[in-house]
Structure formats: C-alpha cells, structure tokens
Amino acid sequence: MAQVLRGDLLAREIEEELRGRVAAMEAPPTLAVVLVGDDPASHIYVSRKRKAAARVGITSIEHRLPAATDEAQLLALIGALNDDPGVHGILVQLPLPAGMAADRVLDAIAPGKDVDGFHPVNVGRLSTGGQGGLVPCTPLGCMLLLDQVVEDFRGLKAVVIGKSNIVGKPAALLLLERECTVTVTHIHTRGLPEICRGADIIIAAAGVAHLVRGDWVKPGAIIIDVGINRIPAPDSRPMIVGDVAAEECDHAAVITPVPGGVGPMTIACLLRNTLDAAQRR
Amino acid sequence: MAQVLRGDLLAREIEEELRGRVAAMEAPPTLAVVLVGDDPASHIYVSRKRKAAARVGITSIEHRLPAATDEAQLLALIGALNDDPGVHGILVQLPLPAGMAADRVLDAIAPGKDVDGFHPVNVGRLSTGGQGGLVPCTPLGCMLLLDQVVEDFRGLKAVVIGKSNIVGKPAALLLLERECTVTVTHIHTRGLPEICRGADIIIAAAGVAHLVRGDWVKPGAIIIDVGINRIPAPDSRPMIVGDVAAEECDHAAVITPVPGGVGPMTIACLLRNTLDAAQRR
C-alpha cells in the first residue's frame, strides 16, 4: 500500500508553528482579501482563508466589491492597500469578472505584499532562484509535502502535468531549483502515460478527474495530486476527486489524498507568506 | 546530411530589417554598455556588440569602470542611465568582478531598458507568458532559429541541456509557451543520452565541448548548439567548438554550426531588444 501523505495534518503543524510566530510579534499581521463579484466558489475559498487566518491569529480584512466594479476602482483600492502600513499581505481572489485584466491587477500589488506570489517580480525571483520573493501557495505546499518524504531531490525525474502560472510552471521551477530533472507536460503532450511511467515524482495539476491511471505510475513513485474535480456521484451529490486514480496506485510509494492533500497546504502557505511578508518589512 | 542552420546569415537578415527600422525613426536609439574590470572575454564581447550596433545605426555608449569600482558607484551610474531619456537600452556586461552582487546590479536596471532581459520583472513576464517584457537574447535567438525550420511546435518533445538563468531556463519557458513538452536537464540528470534520444528538439547549453554525441540524437531531430567552448587544437591554437559532436549528427534534420550559429543571433537579438525598448517608450 502506498503511504498516504496527509496535507491536512501537515497544514495543522504549520499553523501551529505560525501561531507561535504570531504570538511572538508585537502586533498580529494583517491580510487584506479583495473579492470582486459573486462567484460562489470564490466566496467559499475566501471564507476558508478567513477562518484559517483567525486560527493562527492573523487579522484578515475583506473588501467585497460588486461585479460591476470597474478596473480603475479596483486599482485604486489596491493602491490604497499598498500604501497602508497596517496591511502586510494583499490577496485578490481570482477569477476576476469578465472585462478586468488579471495581469494588470496583479501587477499593481506591491511585490512585498503579494502573498499569492503572482507579481512578475516574485515570479522572476522564483524563476532565477533568487532570494526574497514570495512563492505561489499551491506549488509551495507541494514542495513542503515532498520535503516530508524526499531527502535528496538531486537527479530525480519529476513530471509536472499542467503548465499553469499558478501551479505547473512554478512547481517545475521549484523542482529544478532542487536539481530534479523536470519534464513539463500539458494538453498538447503526446505519450503522457509513457512519460509519467519514467517519473520518480509526479505533480498532477491538470484539472482532469482521474487522468493519471495506475499503469502510468512506476512502482515506488511519489505522487502529489493537485486536482480538485467535482464529479457526479451515485447518490447524485457531486464528489470531489483528484487528477489521479488513487485506488489504482497501491504500488506508488507515496500519494496525497483528495481532499485533505494539497488543498489545506495551499491555505497554510498563504498564511506563511503573510507572516513572511510582515516580518521582512 | 543534416541541414546546417546558419545563424550568421539569419542575423544578417535581422540586422537588415533593424537598419530599416532605425532609418525610419526620428533619432537613432542609444544603447549604454557598462563594462566593469578587465575580463578579456568581456572586452571582446563588448567590442562585437559595439560594431553590430554601428552596423544597424544604433548609437552605443560605453562606460568602462575599473575593477576596483564599488557597487554603490555602479548603482549610481545605472540610476543615472535609468533617468536619462536619451538612453533606451542598458546592458551591464557579465561577469562582474568578485564582491559585486550581480542580482542587486541587474535589479537596479529599469525593466523597460533592460535589453538583456535579466531583470526579475522581465523574467517574470517571460515565465507567465505575459506581453511587453524583454526576452534574454540567447534564448530569443534560439527561438528565431527554430522558427526557420519548425512550423508547428505543439506537442514536440524538446530537451534543454543546462538550466542557467541566461539560457536554459528562459529557453525552456519559451518552448513551453509554444506548447512543446519540455524536459530540462543539467549536471545532476541521470540517463541524459536516453532522454536526448527521445527529443524532437535539443537545445544544448551545457558549456561542455562535444557533450552530445551522435547516438544521443534521433534521426530527424533539430539541434540548436549554444555551446562556445575553447579546446586545444593540433596546431596548438585553441579551437572553438559547440556542445554537440556535429560531425556525428548527419542523421539529424537540422543543426546549428559553432561558430556561426547561436552566437551571431545573440547579438542581433540584443539590437532588436534595444530597438523594441526605444519604440515602446
């Protein structure tokens, strides 16, 4: 049986550590969360982040703007948050309503407060292996999970499925920084099963339910399943499943569950980034 | 026989096009080249860049600083060049003398004048596929060469040898942007010959003379040889060779020569970046 690497448990440990760090500070850090419009999933995510911040003692302030907000108003709010010394981290929940350019909005966040790690300066620091940047939360969570089970990454073959700016590309760059041989695959990749069969580490971030089958996985591989997919279930309530057919992967060495794997780590890393941003100032 | 893809000829065509663009401008753009210390290779590179700039009508101004210059003086010069509206591109020739932090120096260049594409903002834009950044010259030259022989990159397997910030990583990101499946390899990679044998495109940027042997190359592959290595020659004058044993690669579809391949393209792309920087202002 593969070891189930529980992100929920590791996230709890990280929160415990962060709680200690916050308690040692003169004043708790503040995270500003900006939510535009009424995407139901976004509201759920924001509420989870608020609760997690409260657990570790980070103050979170929500700015809810109507879907009809124009970009200039949003940019003005970001400018005010950038200038506010009482705000240590700024998160603009994606996706933004149609008509707003996410890149212009993300570019406007002060890099030192960009706790999502999406500003070009932070992306650039990650790419060059430079210090002092903020790393996107989901790939950072993947690496902290891998650190639990991998001692020496050097020369391991890692396959990343998906090349998004939020997960795939930054995860590939982090693995490269650790001296893995890294292959990035995506929708146009041919022969993906064969490529995966060569992998010591698979990071599956395609957003396709059960894409990775058991016979794509070599014995002893380590699998990080980033997927969070809703599929119809027999009792007609949708079920959450990952990108990996986990029940076929007993021969893997390690696999993260969905839910309870990467998801909770993403939130823990957001809190960690907020604390890092506050303490670097 | 493999097609020899001559970068010197393509660079000449690009220079021709740039000459036309410069002639159509009200005033020629200005490139400021900063050279610290007396590294002999750096002096050769800077002299080549100056001559190439002159050929297309770009004004180049050299700032030569002694090796004993301290970082603050260099940063002050960069600040002045950033503020000078008559300077459109700034290039600080690397390597810098010991004791200077290249990342602090490169961070100080205004991103819009960073014609080497090494500033974190430009690296970040390249990584996310965003528009408006300046792309590092050598990987940009590689892509322009590939554009001569590849119609559709989608799904092609590309292997990049070397993961430097100057060539390997940006080349990988550019290939990914074109929808290649990309594997980045390096000194810690195991089984490199086998990995190369699966490649439709190989970008060799390891800096190791004749690293890639003929039997690492599958029939019909396209090889971009970035290496510029000096090796002893029979008549005792050193010879310049690439990272690929080209004489063993007749079965490749295409190969770039060394010299006369990527090298001249790097300089042509520097000029192109300078013009782009001037015209975007």
Side-chain angles (χ1 to χ4, degrees):
Chain A
M1 283 290 290
Q3 175 193 345
V4 177
L5 180 57
R6 287 185 54 182
D8 52 356
L9 298 186
L10 180 57
R12 218 179 286 171
E13 282 176 37
I14 292 170
E15 284 188 12
E16 191 62 48
E17 183 205 317
L18 297 178
R19 206 170 7 251
R21 282 174 61 189
V22 171
M25 292 171 78
E26 276 185 34
T30 296
L31 171 66
V33 178
V34 180
L35 179 54
V36 188
D38 34 41
D39 180 62
S42 292
H43 277 264
I44 293 171
Y45 294 139
V46 164
S47 136
R48 279 194 201 143
K49 290 167 186 176
R50 182 182 56 236
K51 286 176 192 158
R55 283 198 300 272
V56 306
I58 290 175
T59 306
S60 72
I61 299 176
E62 268 170 57
H63 294 268
R64 296 185 179 227
L65 305 178
T69 304
D70 71 20
E71 201 179 294
Q73 283 175 289
L74 176 56
L75 293 176
L77 171 61
I78 291 171
L81 295 170
N82 286 342
D83 293 341
D84 184 344
V87 169
H88 304 88
I90 301 171
L91 179 156
V92 176
Q93 182 67 42
L94 300 179
L96 292 169
M100 282 198 191
D103 54 348
R104 270 198 303 268
V105 171
L106 297 176
D107 278 19
I109 299 173
K113 296 188 178 187
D114 167 40
V115 288
D116 260 339
F118 295 157
H119 189 282
V121 161
N122 286 318
V123 176
R125 293 223 193 282
L126 173 61
S127 181
T128 59
Q131 298 303 305
L134 289 159
V135 175
C137 304
T138 299
L140 178 57
C142 294
M143 293 309 296
L144 294 177
L145 283 163
L146 285 171
D147 278 330
Q148 299 292 305
V149 291
V150 180
E151 273 208 17
D152 186 358
F153 288 81
R154 262 181 308 175
L156 295 184
K157 285 192 182 178
V159 171
V160 177
I161 308 175
K163 65 176 180 77
S164 75
N165 291 330
I166 295 176
V167 187
K169 279 190 270 186
L173 289 163
L174 289 166
L175 290 162
L176 211 48
E177 196 61 28
R178 302 293 190 91
E179 315 290 358
C180 289
T181 299
V182 181
T183 299
V184 184
T185 66
H186 44 79
I187 192 107
H188 295 294
T189 293
R190 298 169 200 151
L192 182 56
E194 190 55 37
I195 293 172
C196 287
R197 275 192 280 271
D200 301 304
I201 296 171
I202 296 175
I203 295 195
V208 178
H210 293 165
L211 173 69
V212 178
R213 314 303 312 193
D215 66 349
W216 297 24
V217 173
K218 82 169 178 192
I222 296 169
I223 307 172
I224 305 291
D225 189 349
V226 183
I228 299 180
N229 310 289
R230 280 165 188 76
I231 59 168
D235 65 359
S236 92
R237 266 193 62 189
M239 219 173 112
I240 302 292
V241 300
D243 286 357
V244 181
E247 65 285 4
E248 300 173 5
C249 295
D250 283 351
H251 57 294
V254 176
I255 188 166
T256 61
V258 177
V262 175
M265 287 299 295
T266 296
I267 294 183
C269 289
L270 171 70
L271 303 177
R272 200 176 96 147
N273 277 350
T274 303
L275 224 69
D276 287 348
Q279 295 193 317
R280 276 181 205 160
R281 274 244 297 271
Chain B
M1 283 290 290
Q3 176 192 344
V4 176
L5 181 57
R6 288 186 52 182
D8 51 356
L9 299 185
L10 180 57
R12 218 179 287 171
E13 281 176 38
I14 292 171
E15 284 187 12
E16 191 63 48
E17 183 205 318
L18 297 178
R19 206 169 7 251
R21 282 174 62 188
V22 171
M25 292 171 78
E26 276 186 35
T30 295
L31 171 65
V33 178
V34 180
L35 179 54
V36 188
D38 33 40
D39 179 61
S42 291
H43 278 264
I44 294 172
Y45 294 139
V46 164
S47 136
R48 280 194 200 141
K49 290 167 185 175
R50 181 181 56 235
K51 285 176 191 158
R55 284 197 299 273
V56 306
I58 290 176
T59 306
S60 71
I61 299 175
E62 269 171 55
H63 294 268
R64 296 184 179 228
L65 304 178
T69 304
D70 72 21
E71 201 180 295
Q73 284 174 288
L74 176 56
L75 293 176
L77 170 61
I78 292 171
L81 295 171
N82 285 344
D83 293 341
D84 184 344
V87 169
H88 305 89
I90 302 170
L91 179 156
V92 176
Q93 182 66 42
L94 301 179
L96 291 169
M100 282 198 191
D103 54 348
R104 270 198 302 268
V105 171
L106 297 176
D107 278 20
I109 300 173
K113 296 188 177 186
D114 167 41
V115 288
D116 260 339
F118 295 157
H119 189 284
V121 161
N122 286 318
V123 176
R125 294 224 191 282
L126 174 61
S127 180
T128 58
Q131 298 303 303
L134 289 159
V135 175
C137 304
T138 300
L140 179 56
C142 294
M143 294 309 295
L144 294 177
L145 283 163
L146 286 171
D147 278 331
Q148 300 290 304
V149 292
V150 180
E151 274 207 17
D152 186 357
F153 288 81
R154 262 180 308 175
L156 295 184
K157 285 190 182 177
V159 171
V160 177
I161 308 176
K163 65 176 180 77
S164 75
N165 291 329
I166 296 175
V167 187
K169 277 190 271 185
L173 289 163
L174 289 166
L175 289 162
L176 211 48
E177 196 60 28
R178 302 292 190 91
E179 315 291 358
C180 290
T181 299
V182 181
T183 299
V184 185
T185 66
H186 45 78
I187 192 106
H188 294 294
T189 293
R190 298 169 201 152
L192 182 56
E194 190 55 36
I195 293 171
C196 287
R197 274 192 279 272
D200 301 303
I201 296 172
I202 295 175
I203 295 194
V208 178
H210 293 166
L211 173 69
V212 178
R213 314 303 313 194
D215 67 349
W216 296 24
V217 172
K218 83 170 177 191
I222 296 169
I223 307 173
I224 305 291
D225 189 349
V226 183
I228 297 180
N229 310 289
R230 279 165 190 76
I231 58 167
D235 65 358
S236 93
R237 267 191 63 189
M239 220 174 112
I240 303 292
V241 301
D243 286 357
V244 181
E247 66 284 3
E248 300 174 5
C249 295
D250 283 350
H251 57 295
V254 176
I255 186 165
T256 62
V258 177
V262 175
M265 287 300 294
T266 296
I267 294 182
C269 289
L270 171 69
L271 303 177
R272 199 175 97 148
N273 277 350
T274 304
L275 224 70
D276 287 349
Q279 295 193 316
R280 275 182 205 159
R281 272 246 296 274

